[in-house]
Amino acid sequence: MARGMRAAGLAAAWMALAGSAWAEMPQAGDRFTEMDLYQLEFANDPQISPDGRSIVYARMSNDIMTDKTVPNLWILDADGGMHRPLLTGQAAASQARWSPDGGRIAYVTAAEGKPQIHVRWMDTGQTALVTRTLEAPGALAWSPDGKWLAFTMLVPKEPEPLAKPPKAPEGAKWAPGVKVIDSVVYRRDGEGYVEQGFTHVFVVPAEGGTPRQITSGDFNHRGTPAWTPDGQALVISANRNPDWEQDPVESDLYEVRIADGSVRRLTERDGPDSNPAVSPDGRWIAYTGFDDRKMGYQNHLLHLMDRRSGEVRVLSQELDRAVDAPQWAGNDAVFASYEDQGGVTLARFTLDGKHAVVTQGIGGTSPSRPYTSGGFSVAADGSFAYTVGRSDRPADVAVGNPAGLLSAAGTKVLTTLNEDLLAHKKLGRVEEIRYPSSADGREVQGWVVFPPDFDPSRKYPLILEIHGGPFAAYGPDFSVEMQLYAQAGYVVLYTNPRGSTSYGAEFANLIHHNYPGQDYDDLISGVDALVARGFVDEQNLFVTGGSGGGVLSAWIVGKTDRFRAAAVVKPVINWTSFALTADFYTLFWQYWFADYPWNAQEEYWRRSPLSLVGNVKTPTMLLTGEADHRTPISETEQYYQALKLRGVDTVMVRVPEAPHGIARRPSHQIAKIANILAWFERHRTGQTAQDAGGSAAGTKAE
């Protein structure tokens, strides 16, 4: 009862906030609504057992009472049977990892208040608390003999005070003390001002005991450690160079001895080397990386190192895609994923550099917006588990076998996490579109989401929704935001303009030192392609996008007044101020530009949407999280004030406590969508009507 009352209260609050936007959306049980977000689930981090018979995964759901996305561990057999919770009566749990013999699972949960490592025995269901650390452990890795767990954890370091203030008298209420910062990276989006210290690697007995720090020095050691088969060392990735703070892309592989913490450097090129995976026989190390040429985008290649000779060769040389997450299946093959044409593909690489596609359709773990996403794991025999996404469903768990024993395609979907919620809903149909760009004729891939009960003989308002990154990609995956726009009666177009990943390095680097470049032409060509099909009301075109999509939305309204209204979300408006206030400021000036802002001010200004603000006539809403450190809200404030000075119809929506990932809290995602729709409805022209099926009705705008 309390849950239902709380849901009704939230719905009423957002309805009041957004005015008529939600009121005009059908609220019947056969339509997807904003409150369905709290019932949506998706699978994440599927881990197949060493024998390939069972899969444990994180079942993600949105808790309406805490307004958070919560992971809980579930387990099922590889044939789809015995689907059940792994843990009961505990707090959220994640990072499940099988022991080498499959008899135990290690995981992290905050059941005791702080996140700690636990182990569960699969035969009895008994669990043990393994750590009692003051900081949160992560990146768990079992030793080959199952006796130890390696993990990473922050080791705080108290800064030296710059000055020693006098002590306040007893009972006095003085102001808080000053905060002295001298580190290069001092804040991160989603974290705020970072706790000073360094991430190090630890080992702890798998049955519980005292963690022992293995790495040392004022360096960060992130990523999952990889054990050598003899259990005597760990292979890690880190930047242990003296100038590591100024070189955010650089990392190398190191072998760290468990006994004494001695470190042996394995790679030393200029560029990142990461994701190490040691072959079961200990001879090879698979890893990803590239030779850094300071390009905006560079493919991570799959490398193979001979541990005896140190010789390195590239296994993915002929594949013009970025390879990720290598995992061994036996001693003669490495599984790895890569983005391709707006999706994620899993491939099997042999040691002679040949590869074969194992499965496609990995995705579904980014249900807010349809970014490429997903995960997989591999058993010793080459069977694998992965998250499978669809345009009408978030991620489920699937299993595959390269021998094709499960089905004609060699894969089988095991779960249907959202059938109870979505099977009876009328969702927006998603259709792929490809069209030539007016800039140079290059083919651009995109997708169209149609309102339920779409009628091609009628005219519909259009929302152009633009992805961020800019080095990222959308795909044909389920998206809460796209579906809710479609439910409100809009045709939605989202595309992968130049700069997007999954089409090769050349396509991505068309924006190198040139962003926004010709993205405008790619996007407007997509709008033109849909208008030409006859069902789009050309007088009711709207544009929105977040982050890089915010950049492009602001750029578009600076170049054309064709759109009725724009919703510019968490944008970069002024590249100079962004480069000197963003959390990743050590990266942008040297990869996205050719020099520091003070040495290339004309170039920074040429590419800034603020340079076009004198042209803007389009009513423009700005929406940004107040705790955004990636594209700080000062960018939004600059544009808002510039538009106000010019007399342009504009409003600024500030999302309290929200970082760059506004949708991290479900209620914030609802607020984002509601306000965007309310803004568009305010500026929509002509007669607007909804039929019983929820499609935008009829008369063409005036």
Side-chain angles (χ1 to χ4, degrees):
M1 184 68 168
R3 178 185 174 102
M5 291 176 64
R6 173 66 172 166
L10 280 171
W14 294 133
M15 191 80 75
L17 176 69
S20 64
W22 292 129
E24 294 190 4
M25 286 183 62
Q27 301 297 312
D30 67 343
R31 296 306 171 92
F32 183 71
T33 71
E34 73 280 4
M35 294 308 294
D36 286 333
L37 178 59
Y38 285 105
Q39 306 301 325
L40 208 63
E41 298 180 281
F42 65 95
N44 196 25
D45 192 24
Q47 295 295 313
I48 193 166
S49 61
D51 61 9
R53 295 182 179 180
S54 300
I55 300 159
V56 62
Y57 71 98
R59 186 166 176 166
M60 314 295 291
S61 60
N62 294 320
D63 186 341
I64 197 171
M65 302 309 293
T66 63
D67 196 30
K68 293 181 179 179
T69 302
V70 180
N72 286 285
L73 297 180
W74 282 60
I75 190 169
L76 73 165
D77 294 339
D79 63 4
M82 295 296 289
H83 190 199
R84 58 203 184 281
L86 181 68
L87 308 169
T88 57
Q90 292 200 23
S94 60
Q95 301 187 56
R97 295 296 180 266
W98 291 91
S99 64
D101 63 1
R104 291 164 291 168
I105 290 177
Y107 58 95
V108 174
T109 180
E112 282 76 24
K114 286 181 173 289
Q116 301 293 345
I117 300 173
H118 291 66
V119 167
R120 175 187 173 94
W121 278 258
M122 301 306 293
D123 56 352
T124 66
Q126 293 173 300
T127 62
L129 175 65
V130 174
T131 60
R132 293 185 183 274
T133 56
L134 297 178
E135 302 291 336
L140 310 187
W142 286 88
S143 65
D145 61 7
K147 295 181 179 180
W148 296 86
L149 283 162
F151 64 94
T152 61
M153 186 176 69
L154 176 72
V155 177
K157 182 178 181 180
E158 288 295 328
E160 289 292 330
L162 188 62
K164 293 183 179 181
K167 185 177 180 180
E170 184 176 353
K173 296 182 179 180
W174 285 17
V178 300
K179 181 181 294 184
V180 178
I181 296 171
D182 63 0
S183 57
V184 175
V185 178
Y186 60 96
R187 61 184 179 183
R188 296 191 189 95
D189 187 67
E191 298 179 38
Y193 287 88
V194 299
E195 182 179 359
Q196 295 201 29
F198 299 93
T199 300
H200 284 288
V201 179
F202 293 76
V203 295
V204 64
E207 295 180 355
T210 303
R212 181 162 61 90
Q213 184 175 328
I214 301 302
T215 58
S216 60
D218 290 350
F219 309 105
N220 289 304
H221 306 79
R222 299 193 176 98
T224 303
W227 288 86
T228 57
D230 59 9
Q232 300 300 306
L234 291 164
V235 179
I236 64 171
S237 173
N239 185 345
R240 293 174 57 90
N241 298 321
D243 64 344
W244 64 270
E245 285 190 292
Q246 298 285 354
D247 200 354
V249 170
E250 172 67 16
S251 64
D252 287 293
L253 299 186
Y254 296 86
E255 187 173 296
V256 184
R257 303 296 294 178
I258 300 297
D260 58 8
S262 59
V263 176
R264 181 169 70 95
R265 188 169 184 164
L266 302 179
T267 62
E268 51 183 309
R269 66 167 166 192
D270 183 11
D273 294 317
S274 56
N275 298 313
V278 183
S279 61
D281 62 7
R283 180 175 178 183
W284 308 100
I285 300 174
Y287 64 98
T288 62
F290 56 79
D291 293 303
D292 190 4
R293 296 177 293 121
K294 294 293 191 291
M295 299 294 291
Y297 176 83
Q298 298 170 90
N299 277 332
H300 285 260
L301 305 178
L302 179 60
H303 293 72
L304 188 70
M305 173 184 288
D306 187 326
R307 288 185 68 213
R308 293 181 295 191
S309 67
E311 179 185 353
V312 175
R313 63 179 184 268
V314 178
L315 298 185
S316 63
Q317 190 69 61
E318 303 304 317
L319 179 66
D320 184 19
R321 298 291 186 268
V323 178
D324 191 26
Q327 300 178 38
W328 287 90
N331 292 305
D332 58 357
V334 179
F335 282 65
S337 62
Y338 58 87
E339 293 181 346
D340 184 49
Q341 301 290 309
V344 178
T345 293
L346 179 63
R348 181 179 184 272
F349 293 81
T350 54
L351 305 193
D352 59 2
K354 297 179 181 178
H355 79 278
V357 172
V358 173
T359 192
Q360 296 174 314
I362 295 177
T365 59
S366 175
S368 297
R369 291 194 282 164
Y371 283 108
T372 53
S373 60
F376 73 95
S377 61
V378 182
D381 65 355
S383 55
F384 54 93
Y386 63 102
T387 57
V388 60
R390 291 165 34 187
S391 62
D392 62 349
R393 298 291 186 274
D396 278 299
V397 177
V399 67
N401 187 316
L405 299 178
L406 295 171
S407 68
T411 61
K412 179 181 179 181
V413 180
L414 303 181
T415 63
T416 54
L417 300 182
N418 291 285
E419 288 307 292
D420 56 336
L421 173 66
L422 299 178
H424 65 285
K425 302 278 188 180
K426 290 184 178 181
L427 297 175
R429 177 174 60 86
V430 179
E431 176 185 299
E432 181 183 338
I433 181 175
R434 291 179 185 259
Y435 57 89
S437 170
S438 62
D440 52 14
R442 291 177 185 271
E443 183 180 77
V444 178
Q445 183 184 26
W447 292 267
V448 183
V449 187
F450 296 93
D453 299 326
F454 171 76
D455 182 351
S457 68
R458 299 166 62 182
K459 296 288 187 179
Y460 293 83
L462 172 73
I463 294 177
L464 170 63
E465 209 282 347
I466 310 170
H467 75 64
F471 300 111
Y474 275 162
D477 286 321
F478 181 86
S479 165
V480 168
E481 296 189 17
M482 308 300 182
Q483 286 293 335
L484 287 176
Y485 294 150
Q487 295 288 338
Y490 292 82
V491 169
V492 185
L493 171 65
Y494 64 93
T495 77
N496 285 334
R498 65 193 65 208
S500 300
T501 57
S502 80
Y503 305 95
E506 189 264 347
F507 186 83
N509 279 315
L510 290 172
I511 65 169
H512 178 63
H513 291 179
N514 192 39
Y515 183 65
Q518 281 71 52
D519 282 46
Y520 172 87
D521 304 284
D522 294 354
L523 295 164
I524 296 300
S525 295
V527 173
D528 291 339
L530 280 193
V531 169
R533 292 172 64 174
F535 53 76
V536 169
D537 179 355
E538 196 168 4
Q539 300 304 310
N540 277 302
L541 305 179
F542 301 88
V543 60
T544 186
S547 193
V551 174
L552 290 169
S553 298
W555 190 258
I556 284 172
V557 297
K559 293 177 71 69
T560 180
D561 58 2
R562 184 177 179 183
F563 292 87
R564 294 291 303 179
V568 176
V569 181
K570 52 189 180 185
V572 175
I573 294 301
N574 181 339
W575 286 109
T576 295
S577 56
F578 165 76
L580 297 176
T581 57
D583 57 348
F584 281 179
Y585 71 103
T586 56
L587 182 145
F588 297 120
W589 75 269
Q590 56 181 324
Y591 288 90
W592 291 14
F593 289 86
D595 206 340
Y596 295 111
W598 50 88
N599 290 335
Q601 184 55 219
E602 185 175 311
E603 180 65 10
Y604 279 72
W605 182 248
R606 179 184 70 84
R607 292 163 54 185
S608 294
L610 190 59
S611 70
L612 303 178
V613 73
N615 302 332
V616 178
K617 300 177 182 177
T618 306
T620 300
M621 181 179 82
L622 293 126
L623 189 151
T624 302
E626 291 186 330
D628 191 332
H629 293 304
R630 184 64 40 81
T631 55
I633 200 167
S634 57
E635 294 295 305
T636 290
E637 291 167 336
Q638 288 181 66
Y639 204 52
Y640 174 77
Q641 294 182 192
L643 291 173
K644 282 295 186 184
L645 288 174
R646 292 203 58 251
V648 176
D649 186 5
T650 185
V651 63
M652 176 168 54
V653 178
R654 303 170 69 98
V655 187
E657 301 178 0
H660 196 62
I662 293 173
R664 187 168 69 172
R665 302 292 294 271
S667 66
H668 281 164
Q669 182 173 21
I670 292 173
K672 172 190 173 185
I673 301 167
N675 279 277
I676 289 173
L677 285 174
W679 183 250
F680 290 170
E681 288 299 317
R682 176 184 294 183
H683 294 284
R684 195 158 148 183
T685 187
Q687 295 296 318
T688 298
Q690 301 275 337
D691 62 19
S695 298
T699 60
K700 188 172 180 178
E702 54 188 43

